[in-house]
Amino acid sequence: MALTAVESADARFEQVKVFLPSCAGHGRWRLNRDLSTGRREDARKGEPLLEEMVMDLGPLLLVFMMGLGLTLPTLAQNNYRYEHFLTQHRDANPRGRDKKYCESMMAKRGMTTPCKDRNTFIHASKKEIKAVCEDKNGTPYNGGLRKSKTPFQVTICKHTGGSPRPPCYYKATSGSRDIVIACEKGWPVHFDESFYRP
């Protein structure tokens, strides 16, 4: 006996129910797959493209996110000292370079609670400072440090008050000096000293 068109179609198609947890907390999605065409449809929303992407990319995205979870903390730890160095010691475009400059910058960069006794600001780009960690503009110095081959414009802020509690008062000394820094994996992480060329 020949099958009717409807029975024949029913025989060719099989529905597979797939349940995914919703990332937004909207319950579960019910997806139907037409095994003959490979097309999936959302039984509630009728948006096959989104579900297709979620289903096909889901495992890959999960692996990717797990990898990020392991590597991002490591990158953040490696970059923290460099970012801290930049905050405390780099000011590419200074204004004034006098007493007021020092008092303003020390407060702005978070070095007045308590008052830091002495701090040097290097007036250069990140690239120029990083070059001291490389042979491009640095040489080994005093066991593990790097000294610049060329001088940098710097401003040294020295605390003049007796108490380490704010308000903090500073004296400024500006000039052109060689800088000595510590590097970690090619990145500046610590300012050691600066001095005039002999």
Side-chain angles (χ1 to χ4, degrees):
M1 183 176 71
L3 294 174
T4 67
V6 173
E7 289 171 332
S8 177
D10 287 341
R12 287 197 315 262
F13 298 108
E14 179 182 354
Q15 294 184 334
V16 177
K17 297 177 182 178
V18 180
F19 294 86
L20 288 175
S22 170
C23 297
H26 296 300
R28 296 178 178 270
W29 295 340
R30 180 182 172 188
L31 305 179
N32 295 324
R33 175 191 275 240
D34 181 334
L35 292 181
S36 67
T37 63
R39 183 178 178 186
R40 295 177 184 145
E41 292 184 352
D42 185 332
R44 284 167 41 194
K45 305 219 179 219
E47 297 176 0
L49 183 58
L50 176 62
E51 285 72 21
E52 191 76 32
M53 291 171 62
V54 170
M55 291 296 294
D56 292 342
L57 297 178
L60 182 61
L61 287 173
L62 179 62
V63 171
F64 177 71
M65 293 304 290
M66 287 175 64
L68 276 182
L70 296 174
T71 57
L72 284 179
T74 305
L75 291 174
Q77 287 169 3
N78 289 345
N79 288 331
Y80 170 77
R81 294 187 69 199
Y82 171 60
E83 294 297 332
H84 185 67
F85 170 87
L86 293 177
T87 299
Q88 288 202 327
H89 299 292
R90 178 182 170 267
D91 181 26
N93 301 301
R95 293 183 181 179
R97 297 176 66 183
D98 57 5
K99 175 182 183 298
K100 287 184 179 178
Y101 167 81
C102 279
E103 290 170 1
S104 170
M105 285 300 293
M106 293 297 284
K108 192 184 294 184
R109 299 296 177 88
M111 293 181 276
T112 56
T113 51
C115 306
K116 187 176 180 182
D117 186 57
R118 182 187 179 100
N119 191 70
T120 301
F121 290 103
I122 307 165
H123 309 306
S125 69
K126 294 177 184 179
K127 185 178 179 181
E128 290 169 328
I129 298 171
K130 187 179 184 299
V132 178
C133 293
E134 305 157 359
D135 292 334
K136 198 179 297 181
N137 190 26
T139 57
Y141 180 81
N142 199 19
L145 298 173
R146 302 282 296 180
K147 181 174 81 70
S148 63
K149 293 179 180 177
T150 59
F152 284 80
Q153 285 294 318
V154 301
T155 300
I156 302 166
C157 301
K158 187 167 172 54
H159 184 233
T160 58
S163 170
R165 289 179 295 183
C168 306
Y169 300 103
Y170 288 91
K171 177 178 85 172
T173 304
S174 58
S176 179
R177 297 189 174 199
D178 290 348
I179 62 171
V180 176
I181 61 176
C183 300
E184 188 175 274
K185 297 180 181 177
W187 298 94
V189 294
H190 169 73
F191 181 89
D192 192 72
E193 63 176 319
S194 65
F195 50 84
Y196 290 112
R197 279 177 177 264

